[in-house]
Amino acid sequence: MPGRVAPLLVAEASGVRLKLADGRELVDGMSSWWAAVHGYRHPVLDAALAEQAGRMSHVMFGGLTHEPAITLAKTLVDLTPEGLEHVFLCDSGSVSVEVAVKMCLQYQRSRGLPEKRRLLTWRGGYHGDTFTPMSVCDPDGGMHSLWRGVLPEQVFVPEPPAGFDAPVDQSYVDTLAAALAEHAHELAAVIVEPVVQGAGGMRFHHPGYLRALRELTREHDVLLVFDEIATGFGRTGRMFAAEHAGVTPDVLCLGKALTGGYLTMAAALCTPEIAAGIARGDLPVLAHGPTFMGNPLASAVANASLGLLAEGRWRADVARIEAGLRRGLEPAWDLPHVRDVRVLGAIGVLQLDHEVDLGVATDIVTAEGAWLRPFRDLVYAMPPYVTDDADLAVITGAMLAAAEKA
Ligand code: PMP
């Protein structure tokens, strides 16, 4: 269980290595919760941060604006799927989900439909730790079940059938259709993690379900929100997981890798229609104004990180990591306690037939020279894109060792 294992003291981090105070070095298979896609102390990101710190660390983003945030907003509009043209910069992934939901609710109110205020999602999801995101996290699994009865009640459907390559199951699409038909009158939006459900269980599903959701939400006059906080910026092999399906949501949440994992910043993007709807409402602005909104340091690092991604090397890197994870994890099929081995982009997962003891697993993976954070029955890695083949072999070796002994 989280919290029961003493944390390791990290003195420095550079490239893909965490340097512990006791002198040990670990290859980071976690990218600091999936954010540090370029690794640590990247010279381009370090320089962007230092340069911005020399100009202005922060100014309020109400009534004032600045070039790093303007550039970032423009770049995000260009980079994200066609049709998302308005950007709200906020502090963390959870807050971007809060903002996304406010966008949807304010839009529905502005249309004279305040009763459309609930959310529909599929089970097995994870959207963050503040109250609205918790209300759409998996209701039965994980730490948020503590809050059952306190959270707003949302509409849940079963999670999509497992498997990125598994054929689309029409009976599941029918389930989605029936739920939307039943609840459309009270739904502001459907919110899902596209293609990969992350912290709720590291499950992959076929992009066809996203296309089905896009059609059904249009048909039933419900907005569609994609939470790409974990999947965005190349992690699944596409810049955004929505691209696997070729669909544009009405609202898109981004975070984590936005700043290359350097600083806390996230974003919610929406269509002109939603922005125009909000502008016509009783309160003609989005009702959200956090102190550190649009922070210049985070914006400058985000611009530098997006600049690195624009160079395009990430595509070959993620493809190479995908191949390395497949190769390195193949022997896991022969391990007695392994139920499933799945890889997509720079994500590798071993699913076991039992819950892992986190303390035992941590000792095993660190003895192998890697840093991983198994949870429940999952041993997984989401390494930085700059991880080379030798370091990747350390990570997959540690995963196999944990699957065998933890
Ligand atoms: N949504 C998804 C899909 C996530 O994976 C996470 C974080 N693991 C969040 C939202 C919450 O982001 P944050 O931790 O930055 O609040």
Side-chain angles (χ1 to χ4, degrees):
M1 287 291 285
R4 292 206 189 141
V5 181
L8 305 177
L9 186 59
V10 183
E12 276 175 50
S14 94
V16 300
R17 286 195 159 57
L18 305 177
K19 301 181 184 180
L20 304 188
D22 63 12
R24 281 182 290 166
E25 286 196 10
L26 302 176
V27 177
D28 182 11
M30 294 294 293
S31 308
S32 282
W33 264 321
W34 329 336
V37 291
H38 310 294
Y40 304 96
R41 299 294 319 272
H42 193 290
V44 171
L45 302 191
D46 281 8
L49 184 57
E51 203 269 340
Q52 183 56 41
R55 273 173 211 273
M56 158 172 69
S57 55
H58 188 61
V59 289
M60 64 185 281
F61 206 55
L64 300 176
T65 189
H66 48 80
E67 192 278 328
I70 294 168
T71 301
L72 178 57
K74 283 188 183 147
T75 309
L76 287 175
V77 168
D78 288 346
L79 198 63
T80 50
E82 185 76 30
L84 297 166
E85 291 181 20
H86 294 261
V87 182
F88 193 97
L89 298 173
C90 50
D91 323 342
S92 71
S94 302
V95 174
S96 82
V97 173
E98 299 279 2
V99 168
V101 172
K102 278 190 184 177
M103 284 173 167
C104 295
L105 265 65
Q106 272 193 246
Y107 171 73
Q108 302 292 12
R109 277 171 179 251
S110 77
R111 301 167 69 213
L113 299 169
E115 67 281 7
K116 284 172 81 68
R117 60 191 170 85
R118 291 181 80 191
L119 303 170
L120 181 145
T121 188
W122 44 45
R123 286 174 182 269
Y126 184 89
H127 298 280
D129 296 343
T130 57
F131 270 75
T132 309
M134 283 199 296
S135 74
V136 281
C137 287
D138 191 79
D140 298 322
M143 55 189 180
H144 299 331
S145 49
L146 179 68
W147 298 104
R148 197 174 298 148
V150 178
L151 297 170
E153 278 187 26
Q154 312 293 11
V155 180
F156 286 90
V157 292
E159 63 260 33
F164 181 75
D165 294 319
V168 171
D169 176 348
Q170 188 54 42
S171 68
Y172 180 73
V173 175
D174 294 344
T175 306
L176 291 177
L180 269 148
E182 183 185 346
H183 293 282
H185 64 283
E186 54 177 347
L187 289 180
V190 170
I191 178 168
V192 295
E193 292 159 274
V195 178
V196 176
Q197 290 186 302
M202 305 306 295
R203 286 183 210 85
F204 306 161
H205 57 255
H206 193 285
Y209 299 116
L210 304 172
R211 285 192 283 275
L213 272 184
R214 181 66 285 184
E215 280 169 27
L216 290 166
T217 48
R218 284 223 172 93
E219 184 186 328
H220 291 286
D221 188 23
V222 172
L223 296 170
L224 180 61
V225 181
F226 282 173
D227 176 348
E228 293 231 27
I229 289 161
T231 52
F233 305 110
R235 181 58 69 180
T236 68
R238 300 289 182 100
M239 182 60 88
F240 299 102
E243 294 174 17
H244 290 285
V247 299
T248 302
D250 300 297
V251 181
L252 176 68
C253 296
L254 301 172
K256 290 192 184 282
L258 174 60
T259 63
Y262 265 51
L263 282 168
T264 173
M265 174 175 260
L269 284 84
C270 73
T271 60
E273 193 189 349
I274 294 178
I278 292 171
R280 280 194 305 271
D282 296 338
L283 181 73
V285 290
L286 186 78
H288 203 85
T291 309
F292 292 107
M293 171 164 64
N295 175 258
L297 296 171
S299 300
V301 184
N303 286 329
S305 175
L306 296 179
L308 288 176
L309 291 176
E311 290 173 12
R313 227 169 311 147
W314 69 270
R315 284 184 192 280
D317 280 338
V318 172
R320 182 181 49 76
I321 288 175
E322 179 171 285
L325 288 169
R326 285 188 199 285
R327 205 172 41 242
L329 298 179
E330 180 66 26
W333 286 112
D334 295 330
L335 297 178
H337 296 297
V338 172
R339 273 219 182 123
D340 191 31
V341 181
R342 46 188 185 264
V343 173
L344 182 68
I347 310 171
V349 185
L350 301 181
Q351 185 156 11
L352 312 186
D353 62 5
H354 62 276
E355 296 234 341
V356 176
D357 180 314
L358 184 57
V360 173
T362 302
D363 287 346
I364 293 168
V365 298
T366 54
E368 296 281 327
W371 172 245
L372 298 167
R373 188 81 169 158
F375 72 103
R376 305 210 303 249
D377 56 349
L378 301 162
V379 178
Y380 77 100
M382 288 172 77
Y385 303 164
V386 294
T387 310
D388 67 20
D389 289 349
D391 286 335
L392 199 59
V394 172
I395 290 169
T396 53
M399 291 172 73
L400 296 176
E404 200 171 357
K405 300 178 216 146

